[in-house]
Amino acid sequence: MNTNGPTYHEIDKGLQKAMNRRANAGYRRFLAPAMIIIAALTVVPILFTVGLSMTNISYVSPRPTRFIGFDNFIQLFRDERFLSSLWQSAILIFGPVAFQLIFGFFLALVMNERLKGLGWLRVIFIVPMFFPPIVMGLMWKVLFTPQLGGINYYLSLIGITGPTWLSEPMTAMIAIIIAATWGWTPFVAIMFFTSMQTFPRDLYEAARIDGATWTQQIKFVTLPLLKETALVVLVFRIMEALAIFPIIFVMTSGGPAGSTETVNYYSFVSGFTFLKVGYASAMILTFLALLVMLLAPATNLLLRSIETEGGSK
Amino acid sequence: MRVRPRSVTFGLYAFGLVWAIVIIAPFLWLVLLSIKTRLDAFANPPKLFFTPTFEAYFGVFGDSAFLHAIKNSIIVSVGAVLLSLLVAIPATYGLRNLRGPIRKNSLLAILLIRMVPGMVYLLPYFVVYNRLGVLDTHFGLMLVHMIFNVPLIIWMLTPIWSSIPRELTEAAKIDGATPWETLILVDLPLLKGGILASSILAFIFSWNEFLFALILTRSEVVTLPVAIVNFLAFEGTEWGKIAAASVFIVGPAVAFGFLVRRYMISGLASGSVKG
């Protein structure tokens, strides 16, 4: 049986490759220029940042710029402000993302159940998706400012004395989490809703015939089917969670006393206020590396989502 | 079809309505603030009924810096979209017709690029722009916006393009059309809607973009999101004007958003707003 020649399977694979190559021949030159431009705009700057991170480049220091190896990275882990910004980043990433997933799920359910008279809600729900983040920040800054925003007045109606939100570390953090939840829950809801629309109806029918109640159908049909989408959404949201930069910028500027400063915010301050560009580069790269390590196990998942969402036909 | 207990139905209605209020009320507050006098703005208890004044709007549109920012925002957003289309359309055409791993790997690479936090790109662009003297130029800002707009458009067009039957392009090929001719004469006319939708979404992201505009502009090319922060910095207590300017910026973004909401799912899958 086992001859030295290629097996049928190998020939088939080789043939497939050759056919792909022939079919692809005319189309590579459409993709190639775009990929080169994209790489020039992204990969090159990232590599340049790696270079910057190993120098002491600074726009205020009179010293000449020179190569200092990993000194910036070593210094980072002795920098208390960096370490606390890491911790605050974790809170400001996972806090809002958790709320977004929970509320997003229930919003998707509301949309999916086609409740009578609530069709217009679908339009309202997505409004924050188009909001400029800077306006979100300003809006919530107004709302949380005593006198100017109504939040404390309405809290006082139910007997709660509102804090001076943005000037205390704890409540400033909560205010930002609320703003971020408001802004990015619609994205999660829409992703969940779109996914729910593709679930086969007969699965629910079968569950119903087996005597499953509505809650059981959600628990044993909807939730398991939604797991993959939820993971993809989670990856997206974690990766993009610190896009709340503009919100922090206008609401607290990282304060009070640096208590709402995230890593990207601290990197921004180091780079553009203290003008220590080398140090800021090392900081943001470290953060990127941490994110990648956290999310690397999900790469396969993203690949699979490409097959479905990107249309593999 | 499905039996939903009354209590669940009630719960869903309640949640939906409460969330609608949560969405609308904060923005409504901002709109009201924009038409209040200073005195009304700080009234306690807050006034929901008052004599509206449009003074803040007159103030905002009488401000030459703000008008200049409107112009800049339009130039940069439109320019960024056009540049991005120029790169993204041929790329998507290539991807649509390529087979094998190259297609999948390219799509993944494009997606990952878009997911990199914006701050990573900000430092090198600042250093290079500073050296080349392209800080505070329209083109410099457009180029940076391509980082998120090109992947967005590719990701939005890919599924739409896949839904065009291959037979059409195959027929053109058999008739002797070159790939370029096929793209321009067959594919593009069929894709008009999708291209328009992805352009609008890309426009919104450029219009809303704050971080790059903050650092890569100085005075000449300041866009609206930065101009509004300047209101905050220089006229700290003019909340009416800040609110009016906010309402003005949100307007086009949300209006355009409604137009393309059907198309945006796959576009949004490739990431929301950079920061």
Side-chain angles (χ1 to χ4, degrees):
Chain A
M1 272 306 258
N2 204 352
T3 60
N4 289 330
T7 63
Y8 175 74
H9 180 67
E10 277 167 347
I11 295 174
D12 191 42
K13 234 175 134 185
L15 212 61
Q16 185 66 44
K17 253 190 190 162
M19 275 168 67
N20 277 346
R21 204 175 305 142
R22 246 187 97 182
N24 288 349
Y27 295 105
R28 277 177 198 280
R29 62 199 151 96
F30 284 90
L31 182 62
M35 291 308 267
I36 291 169
I37 292 173
I38 294 172
L41 288 173
T42 59
V43 180
V44 174
I46 291 175
L47 293 177
F48 185 54
T49 314
V50 174
L52 287 175
S53 73
M54 299 194 188
T55 68
N56 63 351
I57 180 168
S58 153
Y59 285 105
V60 279
S61 154
R63 282 171 307 164
T65 300
R66 60 185 177 83
F67 182 79
I68 54 166
F70 290 99
D71 283 9
N72 281 330
F73 292 90
I74 295 164
Q75 204 195 325
L76 263 185
F77 286 91
R78 294 202 195 105
D79 184 347
E80 297 260 344
R81 186 165 170 183
F82 171 71
L83 297 175
S84 63
S85 78
L86 269 185
W87 171 239
Q88 285 144 13
S89 301
I91 297 175
L92 285 176
I93 290 173
F94 294 108
V97 170
F99 286 117
Q100 287 157 11
L101 284 173
I102 295 167
F103 291 140
F105 171 71
F106 285 108
L107 276 185
L109 268 188
V110 171
M111 293 192 265
N112 197 44
E113 290 289 322
R114 304 184 175 283
L115 298 170
K116 252 180 238 148
L118 289 192
W120 56 276
L121 279 186
R122 268 190 232 176
V123 182
I124 301 289
F125 285 161
I126 59 171
V127 167
M129 273 202 290
F130 307 113
F131 255 63
I134 197 76
V135 173
M136 269 188 225
L138 282 167
M139 188 176 84
W140 285 100
K141 187 188 173 80
V142 165
L143 289 167
F144 281 117
T145 302
Q147 302 285 312
L148 190 59
I151 288 183
N152 278 0
Y153 170 75
Y154 291 107
L155 282 179
S156 75
L157 291 187
I158 51 170
I160 300 171
T161 313
T164 48
W165 290 91
L166 299 177
S167 38
E168 280 160 51
M170 183 70 181
T171 47
M173 196 72 112
I174 293 171
I176 291 174
I177 292 175
I178 291 174
T181 305
W182 186 88
W184 280 274
T185 298
F187 169 75
V188 179
I190 289 285
M191 295 287 282
F192 281 174
F193 171 61
T194 313
S195 174
M196 282 177 185
Q197 299 254 290
T198 66
F199 296 167
R201 284 203 161 277
D202 30 341
L203 275 180
Y204 290 98
E205 197 55 28
R208 198 179 59 86
I209 289 166
D210 287 345
T213 63
W214 185 87
T215 324
Q216 283 168 331
Q217 286 175 35
I218 295 296
K219 198 171 160 196
F220 297 111
V221 184
T222 307
L223 282 176
L225 286 173
L226 206 58
K227 212 167 85 186
E228 187 140 315
T229 309
L231 282 168
V232 172
V233 170
L234 187 67
V235 171
F236 276 117
R237 285 308 313 139
I238 289 177
M239 205 67 194
E240 299 234 308
L242 290 191
I244 56 171
F245 176 89
I247 291 180
I248 300 177
F249 186 89
V250 287
M251 282 178 78
T252 65
S253 310
S259 59
T260 54
E261 188 172 77
T262 54
V263 176
N264 64 342
Y265 203 95
Y266 183 29
S267 167
F268 174 85
V269 174
S270 302
F272 300 106
T273 308
F274 305 152
L275 299 171
K276 297 197 292 187
V277 172
Y279 191 57
S281 301
M283 195 181 314
I284 198 69
L285 284 177
T286 306
F287 178 66
L288 183 64
L290 288 174
L291 269 187
V292 169
M293 274 192 269
L294 180 72
L295 298 177
T299 318
N300 271 329
L301 195 83
L302 285 179
L303 269 173
R304 245 181 304 160
S305 82
I306 287 177
E307 276 169 4
T308 48
E309 283 169 34
S312 55
K313 279 170 281 175
Chain B
M1 229 182 25
R2 285 196 271 150
V3 193
R4 191 174 51 219
R6 257 164 199 281
S7 58
V8 169
T9 308
F10 177 77
L12 289 174
Y13 265 102
F15 184 73
L17 290 174
V18 166
W19 197 267
I21 293 169
V22 166
I23 299 280
I24 297 169
F27 185 59
L28 197 62
W29 195 267
L30 200 66
V31 173
L32 289 180
L33 181 59
S34 75
I35 50 173
K36 277 179 181 174
T37 62
R38 248 189 89 70
L39 210 63
D40 285 337
F42 284 93
N44 193 22
K47 282 189 180 169
L48 292 181
F49 301 97
F50 53 89
T51 333
T53 160
F54 293 93
E55 214 163 295
Y57 287 91
F58 288 123
V60 165
F61 289 108
D63 185 325
S64 62
F66 194 77
L67 295 176
H68 194 59
I70 297 176
K71 196 184 84 189
N72 284 333
S73 270
I74 293 172
I75 293 174
V76 170
S77 308
V78 172
V81 170
L82 292 178
L83 280 176
S84 305
L85 284 174
L86 215 56
V87 175
I89 288 179
T92 319
Y93 180 60
L95 283 171
R96 192 262 189 277
N97 288 291
L98 287 168
R99 292 149 204 235
I102 185 178
R103 173 197 156 83
K104 209 160 119 182
N105 291 340
S106 307
L107 275 172
L108 182 68
I110 292 165
L111 180 64
L112 291 179
I113 279 166
R114 195 182 150 76
M115 287 172 72
V116 173
M119 191 66 71
V120 176
Y121 297 120
L122 191 59
L123 287 156
Y125 273 97
F126 175 74
V127 172
V128 171
Y129 277 17
N130 194 24
R131 181 62 58 87
L132 296 179
V134 276
L135 279 181
D136 210 19
T137 59
H138 290 117
F139 183 72
L141 203 52
M142 289 175 200
L143 214 55
V144 180
H145 284 197
M146 285 174 74
I147 295 174
F148 47 92
N149 277 345
V150 170
L152 173 82
I153 295 172
I154 291 179
W155 266 79
M156 232 175 124
L157 282 183
T158 295
I160 301 174
W161 217 313
S162 297
S163 66
I164 294 178
R166 257 182 200 284
E167 291 73 32
L168 286 174
T169 46
E170 294 292 325
K173 211 166 153 190
I174 291 165
D175 287 345
T178 64
W180 270 111
E181 287 167 346
T182 315
L183 169 64
I184 293 166
L185 298 173
V186 182
D187 286 282
L188 287 189
L190 291 168
L191 279 168
K192 265 182 299 191
I195 290 173
L196 187 65
S198 58
S199 304
I200 290 176
L201 201 60
F203 177 90
I204 296 173
F205 283 126
S206 281
W207 179 264
N208 290 351
E209 200 283 324
F210 172 70
L211 182 61
F212 290 113
L214 179 66
I215 292 301
L216 302 179
T217 69
R218 284 280 180 278
S219 54
E220 281 307 305
V221 188
V222 164
T223 56
L224 285 170
V226 179
I228 209 173
V229 168
N230 289 344
F231 273 145
L232 195 64
F234 299 131
E235 318 182 32
T237 47
E238 295 233 34
W239 287 106
K241 269 174 94 173
I242 291 167
S246 296
V247 172
F248 174 76
I249 298 179
V250 168
V254 172
F256 279 137
F258 281 146
L259 285 179
V260 295
R261 62 180 195 278
R262 273 174 231 294
Y263 286 93
M264 80 197 161
I265 310 305
S266 56
L268 283 163
S270 70
S272 35
V273 188
K274 276 279 150 231

